[in-house]
Amino acid sequence: WCETTVSDPLGRDIKARYGIIRHEHTAIMEMASASGLPLLSPEERNPMKTTTYGTGQLIAHAISQGCRKFLIGIGGSATNDAGMGILSALGYRFLDADGNELQPCGANLSAVQTIDDTKVQDIVKEAKYTIACDVDAPFCGPNGAAYTFAAQKGADKDMINTLDKGMHHFADIILKHYGINIKDIPGAGA
């Protein structure tokens, strides 16, 4: 087991753990340990404000410990940031139309115009990531992340609509920058 200090879904310092299989250079982690719903009180739950940044910090810590393969369980998060937080912790920057860096949270999905990956270390891009989930929800749309999961994370109907629009926009930005259409990939909504 490894333990390190990371940010919870609202940016407060917490301790989170993950496992390492050293001879395989593999980290095994639960997103919920850093970005989970149980880390917040019911009053604090708001997927417009929460972030997966702490999970990215766990990944970065594991890389510093020599891990090059990852098995990440992604259930039970308090977030709907499309992974912006994880990627931000790993060096990606999400910029608005004026080139300002955005905080990685659900409220900012619609504002992203550019993804800057120039400061991402090669080791982050070369590592192997296996994501474990038990749902097949698409990234966005009526069966996507916001409509399927945001209510349990504290979103009301207006937030759900805003988050889904943000997910559609963010998917378009990913397509523009990386040529990957994630909108209909089964499980991408997890």
Side-chain angles (χ1 to χ4, degrees):
W1 287 104
C2 283
E3 184 176 82
T4 188
T5 300
V6 299
S7 298
D8 80 354
L10 292 174
R12 301 171 295 210
D13 285 350
I14 59 166
K15 294 284 187 185
R17 294 175 14 142
Y18 64 94
I20 293 181
I21 304 172
R22 293 228 182 256
H23 68 280
E24 294 183 13
H25 307 288
T26 300
I28 302 171
M29 56 184 65
E30 260 309 322
M31 186 161 81
S33 69
S35 307
L37 203 52
L39 299 172
L40 304 179
S41 69
E43 303 78 42
E44 293 176 317
R45 295 177 182 174
N46 181 343
M48 298 292 287
K49 296 180 179 179
T50 53
T51 180
T52 56
Y53 192 85
T55 301
Q57 290 174 303
L58 279 180
I59 294 168
H61 187 269
I63 287 172
S64 77
Q65 300 299 304
C67 294
R68 301 300 179 257
K69 293 186 270 182
F70 294 83
L71 175 58
I72 306 170
I74 59 171
S77 81
T79 62
N80 198 125
D81 71 356
M84 279 178 55
I86 292 171
L87 295 171
S88 291
L90 296 172
Y92 289 82
R93 295 178 347 118
F94 299 92
L95 309 175
D96 67 13
D98 296 322
N100 299 311
E101 188 168 358
L102 296 163
Q103 292 296 314
C105 62
N108 287 333
L109 289 167
S110 291
V112 176
Q113 293 300 314
T114 303
I115 301 171
D116 176 6
D117 63 4
T118 57
K119 295 184 179 181
V120 179
Q121 295 178 4
D122 288 341
I123 195 69
V124 170
K125 295 177 182 180
E126 294 165 2
K128 300 282 185 187
Y129 304 91
T130 301
I131 307 303
C133 72
D134 61 354
V135 299
D136 60 2
F139 194 71
C140 50
N143 297 313
Y147 285 108
T148 303
F149 304 112
Q152 71 189 21
K153 300 168 195 240
D156 61 25
K157 288 182 182 180
D158 288 338
M159 288 181 198
I160 292 169
N161 289 331
T162 299
L163 287 166
D164 187 62
K165 287 177 187 171
M167 296 291 281
H168 276 281
H169 173 77
F170 194 68
D172 291 341
I173 296 298
I174 292 170
L175 180 61
K176 174 182 155 189
H177 281 74
Y178 297 104
I180 300 168
N181 182 358
I182 63 168
K183 284 186 179 180
D184 297 319
I185 295 174

